[in-house]
Amino acid sequence: MKIIIINGPNLNLLGKREPEIYGSQTFEDYLGKLKEKFNDLSIDYFQSNIEGELIDKLHETGFSYDGIILNAGAYTHTSVGIGDAIKGITTPVVEVHISNTFGRESFRHQSYLSAHAKGVILGFGLQSYDLAIQSFINVS
Ligand code: CA2
C-alpha cells in the first residue's frame, strides 16, 4: 500500500517552536517511527509552505496512491483551491490536525477541506497521523 503524508505551512517548525501546542518532536523524527511501525507500507512525505505546491502534489499523487494524509495547516481554514483539489482526485484523503482545532480560535473551526475528505482526525497530537494510517489499513 502506497501512502503519502502531505504537510502544509509552518509544519516544518514542529519540535522547534510552540511545544505546548504542537509537542517537542520534529516531524522527521516522528516519521522515522511511523515508517518502522508500518514497515510493510510505503510512506512518502512532502511538506510545503506554498498553497500551489500542495495542490500540485495532490494532483501528482491523487490518481495513483492508495491514500493521502493531509495536514494543510492554516490553509485548511482558507483554501477553496485545496478543497477543490481533494474533490478532483480519486485517491481518498484523510484530513488530520495535531491540535483540537475546535478548542481553539473560532476561525480554526471552519475547514474548506473536510467536506471532500474521506474523514477527519484531529486533536491527538502527532498520533493523529498514526490513526490516519490505521484508517487506511482497517478497511474491509
Ligand atoms: O493542529 C494542526 O495540525 C493545525 O493544522 C496546525 C496549523 C494550524 O494553523 C491549524 O489551525 C491546525 C499550524 C501549524 C503550525 O505549526 C507550527 C509548529 C511549530 C511552531 C509553529 C507552528
Side-chain angles (χ1 to χ4, degrees):
M1 185 181 285
K2 205 166 161 54
I3 284 174
I4 184 166
I5 296 172
I6 300 178
N7 274 346
N10 298 308
L11 286 159
N12 53 314
L13 296 178
L14 278 177
K16 297 166 191 156
R17 298 268 190 287
E18 300 191 50
E20 65 289 354
I21 303 176
Y22 299 112
S24 51
Q25 206 170 173
T26 67
F27 196 80
E28 286 72 13
D29 286 348
Y30 181 69
L31 183 62
K33 289 177 190 152
L34 276 182
K35 285 184 174 181
E36 265 173 40
K37 178 172 175 182
F38 298 102
N39 61 13
D40 51 340
L41 305 181
S42 155
I43 305 175
D44 289 339
Y45 174 58
F46 177 77
Q47 189 276 330
S48 175
N49 296 319
I50 299 166
E51 187 176 12
E53 288 187 0
L54 297 169
I55 293 171
D56 283 346
K57 187 55 77 173
L58 288 166
H59 293 170
E60 187 186 315
T61 56
F63 299 93
S64 56
Y65 279 60
D66 299 300
I68 296 173
I69 295 166
L70 174 64
N71 184 347
Y75 289 141
T76 304
H77 318 299
T78 61
S79 180
V80 174
I82 294 177
D84 284 347
I86 296 171
K87 195 176 175 194
I89 61 178
T90 53
T91 299
V93 175
V94 172
E95 176 185 345
V96 305
H97 299 286
I98 297 164
S99 62
N100 178 355
T101 48
F102 292 103
R104 301 182 65 191
E105 304 94 323
S106 59
F107 66 83
R108 295 187 205 273
H109 301 180
Q110 162 81 10
S111 168
Y112 285 95
L113 318 184
S114 303
H116 312 298
K118 183 180 180 198
V120 183
I121 297 170
L122 58 88
F124 293 95
L126 287 173
Q127 197 197 356
S128 297
Y129 293 88
D130 184 318
L131 296 170
I133 293 173
Q134 289 183 49
S135 78
F136 284 117
I137 297 169
N138 298 328
V139 285
S140 50

